[in-house]
């Protein structure tokens, strides 16, 4: 196997589709919502990944008042937080997170704090000390605000950070933040990230003498 090596000072990690496979829950909740709105569930599922719920609703129902989207998003978050059936770690996530324990990294997710805690716990993964959840940003991915806040919290320039993401909204946000992107899983494959892996078993972390992170990306 050959490997690509990217060098960074910090890693910024999306959650759903990157560390945790929550597709079963997401699809259950959003299919139910789409049918209640008279929308095609399959079409709705094409835009839900990576965004906060209110932003998905706005994209699907552009003429609806944002107040209604925010209100229904609160209901959706409660439903998703209560439903952890089928939430599992992405392959290799536990070992990868363990390798980052002493290194600069942050969780940057469109989930709120309660949902992030529920899903990371359900997947038996450690919750990073530094995290940027939905409550802490004014704009959802694909806006870069979350990633820029994550870099600032860790004390590094955006150019010194690598983003791990699975969705179009997340990859767009990472690019807009001026960061390099490692795409995770099938959704990311067609989005031209700087590197792509099927899952986290293809990533290995090494610490260089100057403290920088060498991210080895194994080809398959």
């Amino acid at each position: 196997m050959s490997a690509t090596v990217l060098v960074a000072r910090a890693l910024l990690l999306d959650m759903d589709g990157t560390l945790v496979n929550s597709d079963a829950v997401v699809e259950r909740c959003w299919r139910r919502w789409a049918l209640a709105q008279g929308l095609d569930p399959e079409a709705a599922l094409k835009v839900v990944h990576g965004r906060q719920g209110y932003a998905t609703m706005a994209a699907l129902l552009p003429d609806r008042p944002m107040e209604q989207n925010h209100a229904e998003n609160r209901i959706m978050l409660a439903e998703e937080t209560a439903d952890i059936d089928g939430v599992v770690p992405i392959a290799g996530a536990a070992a990868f997170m363990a390798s980052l324990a002493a290194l600069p990294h942050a969780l940057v997710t469109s989930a709120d704090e309660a949902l992030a805690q529920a899903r990371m716990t359900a997947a038996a993964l450690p919750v990073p000390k530094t995290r940027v959840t939905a409550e802490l940003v004014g704009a959802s991915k694909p806006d870069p605000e979350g990633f820029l806040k994550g870099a600032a919290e860790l004390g590094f320039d955006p150019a010194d950070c690598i983003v791990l993401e699975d969705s179009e909204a997340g990859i767009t946000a990472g690019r807009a933040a001026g960061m390099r992107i490692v795409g995770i899983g099938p959704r990311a494959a067609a989005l031209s990230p700087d590197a792509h892996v099927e899952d986290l078993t293809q990533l290995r972390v090494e610490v260089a003498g100057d403290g920088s992170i060498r991210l080895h990306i194994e080809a398959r």
Side-chain angles (χ1 to χ4, degrees):
M1 291 192 299
S2 61
T4 299
V5 179
L6 298 178
V7 179
R9 307 297 299 190
L11 300 181
L12 302 178
L13 315 172
D14 173 52
M15 181 179 69
D16 295 297
T18 298
L19 300 175
V20 172
N21 183 343
S22 56
D23 282 2
V25 179
V26 171
E27 293 187 6
R28 274 197 297 274
C29 290
W30 282 97
R31 281 181 192 279
R32 189 163 58 239
W33 179 88
L35 288 170
Q37 307 304 319
L39 298 173
D40 175 10
E42 297 307 319
L45 289 176
K46 291 179 180 177
V47 299
V48 303
H49 296 288
R51 304 172 190 265
Q52 291 190 43
Y54 74 84
T56 294
M57 293 170 187
L60 292 168
L61 296 171
D63 296 327
R64 200 164 74 152
M66 282 303 294
E67 294 82 359
Q68 187 174 351
N69 294 337
H70 282 287
E72 289 191 10
N73 185 44
R74 287 190 288 272
I75 296 169
M76 178 72 74
L77 283 170
E79 291 177 354
E80 290 188 273
T81 302
D83 185 354
I84 56 171
D85 186 27
V87 174
V88 295
I90 295 292
F96 182 71
M97 292 299 289
S99 74
L100 296 183
L103 301 176
H105 68 287
L107 189 71
V108 181
T109 175
S110 292
D112 66 3
E113 178 70 18
L115 182 55
Q117 292 280 354
R119 286 188 177 163
M120 293 291 281
T121 299
L125 296 175
V127 181
K129 179 180 177 182
T130 302
R131 50 193 180 271
V132 181
T133 54
E135 304 95 327
L136 301 179
V137 297
S140 170
K141 299 173 185 176
D143 191 282
E145 181 185 355
F147 286 124
L148 293 172
K149 282 197 169 184
E153 284 285 324
L154 294 172
F156 295 102
D157 290 335
D160 290 328
C161 299
I162 292 175
V163 165
L164 274 64
E165 262 285 2
D166 73 300
S167 71
E168 182 175 9
I171 288 174
T172 300
R175 278 210 191 95
M179 300 172 183
R180 289 159 293 160
I181 314 292
V182 175
I184 312 294
R187 281 189 287 270
L191 300 172
S192 302
D194 295 280
H196 177 262
V197 295
E198 294 175 30
D199 56 48
L200 299 175
T201 63
Q202 289 176 255
L203 299 182
R204 181 172 62 85
V205 170
E206 177 190 10
V207 184
D210 63 356
S212 62
I213 300 169
R214 294 173 58 84
L215 186 64
H216 294 254
I217 302 157
E218 301 288 346
R220 277 188 184 160

